[in-house]
Amino acid sequence: EVVSKGAVALVVEKDVDVSNLVSSNGDKVVVVKVNDTRYALAMTSAAYFGYPAEQLKTIGITGTKGKSTTAGMIHQVFNRCNVPCGLIGTGGAYYADTVERLRNTTPESVEVFRLLRNMIDNHVKVVVMEVSSQGLKMARVDGIIFDYAIFTNLGPDHIGEGEHADFEE
């Protein structure tokens, strides 16, 4: 289906047979098999946007409760000290004079790296990110080596169907 819509390459975890498929430009479809497509998405997104996390001071905040409050306070401190700071979290993405609404506290990796690139293009020097346990589990921040990490606390709030199987996970 994706080849019929113009895809010329597929990144997959399981074997797929594309021997009878030709891309819209007439070339054979390229298949890249990886162990983890979510990790591959994060790494290719980082590369596509020019590794923006390496050009910013990055502060990641994780924990069951307190991420939004802590991120918001840090964001305000930097900006009030005239250090251009961006924020990615539950309330959206904030940088320069821009506000973007987000679907998730920690967006998908391609969106994270797009936001980081936009921040750099808008002269942001520091980014504060809420890094949810789901974001970590789903490889949404893979490819970012945080300069600073803050862990607020750990509780059983996100154990259940669609989140984490058990406390250990």
Side-chain angles (χ1 to χ4, degrees):
E1 181 181 343
V2 296
V3 172
S4 71
K5 293 181 179 180
V8 296
L10 307 173
V11 178
V12 300
E13 289 180 16
K14 298 176 182 170
D15 291 327
V16 294
D17 181 14
V18 295
S19 58
N20 61 342
L21 297 178
V22 177
S23 68
S24 57
N25 65 8
D27 292 335
K28 290 184 79 171
V29 175
V30 174
V31 176
V32 179
K33 187 176 177 186
V34 297
N35 291 329
D36 183 343
T37 54
R38 295 193 67 76
Y39 178 78
L41 176 63
M43 294 300 109
T44 55
S45 296
Y48 180 81
F49 288 104
Y51 301 99
E54 296 176 7
Q55 300 167 49
L56 293 162
K57 283 290 179 204
T58 54
I59 303 170
I61 303 170
T62 195
T64 304
K65 296 181 189 280
K67 294 182 297 296
S68 298
T69 301
T70 306
M73 288 190 296
I74 293 169
H75 178 246
Q76 288 296 317
V77 167
F78 275 106
N79 282 310
R80 288 185 185 202
C81 292
N82 295 315
V83 177
C85 183
L87 171 66
I88 299 172
T90 302
Y94 301 86
Y95 56 96
D97 292 325
T98 302
V99 177
E100 293 187 40
R101 295 291 162 221
L102 303 173
R103 284 188 55 212
N104 300 312
T105 296
T106 308
E108 291 294 343
S109 57
V110 68
E111 190 170 8
V112 167
F113 287 105
R114 177 190 63 78
L115 288 166
L116 296 179
R117 171 53 51 203
N118 288 349
M119 288 181 188
I120 290 166
D121 293 345
N122 282 276
H123 311 291
V124 169
K125 302 296 181 202
V126 178
V127 62
V128 181
M129 284 186 64
E130 291 182 54
V131 183
S132 67
S133 59
Q134 279 295 99
L136 291 166
K137 177 181 175 180
M138 303 300 285
R140 294 178 185 160
V141 294
D142 284 14
I144 299 174
I145 299 173
F146 288 96
D147 294 296
Y148 302 94
I150 298 170
F151 175 72
T152 59
N153 54 55
L154 180 62
D157 298 40
H158 300 288
I159 296 172
E161 191 171 328
E163 291 196 67
H164 299 285
D166 54 33
F167 196 73
E168 183 157 327
E169 182 185 276

